[in-house]
Amino acid sequence: MKAWLVYTLARLGIFAVALVVLFVIGLPWYWATIGAALIGLLVSYIALPGLRGQVTSSLASRRPRREHDADSDFEDDFVDAADSDSPAPRPVSDAERHEVRRESGEE
């Protein structure tokens, strides 16, 4: 079964149990619902770290990886150079940036 489904069902189960207990105690429905939500949040945070980790890792694995291209690298270099206080000359074009890299032996 998918991790997010198990995690969601576990959290709903914790909420339902807390809601029933608060109803049995005699709280009005609105206070019981608010209390059950808070109790469910706290208990699931403490009791379900393994499931939460599985959900986050499955979400992270589905996220597409960012691809680097020359244009993005140039923009990043340009912004980094603008943010720095060093008086280093900034390349004006992609061709100049590659020429500077070839001359400095970075490639």
Side-chain angles (χ1 to χ4, degrees):
M1 195 180 293
K2 294 194 178 224
W4 64 269
L5 182 61
V6 174
Y7 182 68
T8 302
L9 291 175
R11 288 202 59 184
L12 285 173
I14 292 169
F15 172 78
V17 168
L19 186 63
V20 167
V21 168
L22 293 176
F23 274 143
V24 169
I25 290 174
L27 289 177
W29 68 269
Y30 48 88
W31 289 118
T33 305
I34 293 170
L38 292 174
I39 291 169
L41 175 72
L42 294 173
V43 170
S44 66
Y45 184 76
I46 293 169
L48 304 175
L51 284 175
R52 190 172 51 252
Q54 290 175 5
V55 170
T56 55
S57 64
S58 70
L59 288 174
S61 68
R62 292 191 315 173
R63 185 176 180 193
R65 300 283 182 237
R66 187 185 125 166
E67 293 185 22
H68 294 281
D69 59 356
D71 189 42
S72 298
D73 290 340
F74 173 70
E75 290 172 1
D76 292 343
D77 293 344
F78 194 80
V79 170
D80 290 342
D83 289 341
S84 69
D85 294 333
S86 66
R90 288 183 271 174
V92 179
S93 69
D94 197 35
E96 289 179 11
R97 181 177 62 88
H98 286 297
E99 182 180 339
V100 169
R101 280 190 177 171
R102 275 192 297 273
E103 289 173 358
S104 65
E106 289 183 23
E107 290 184 314

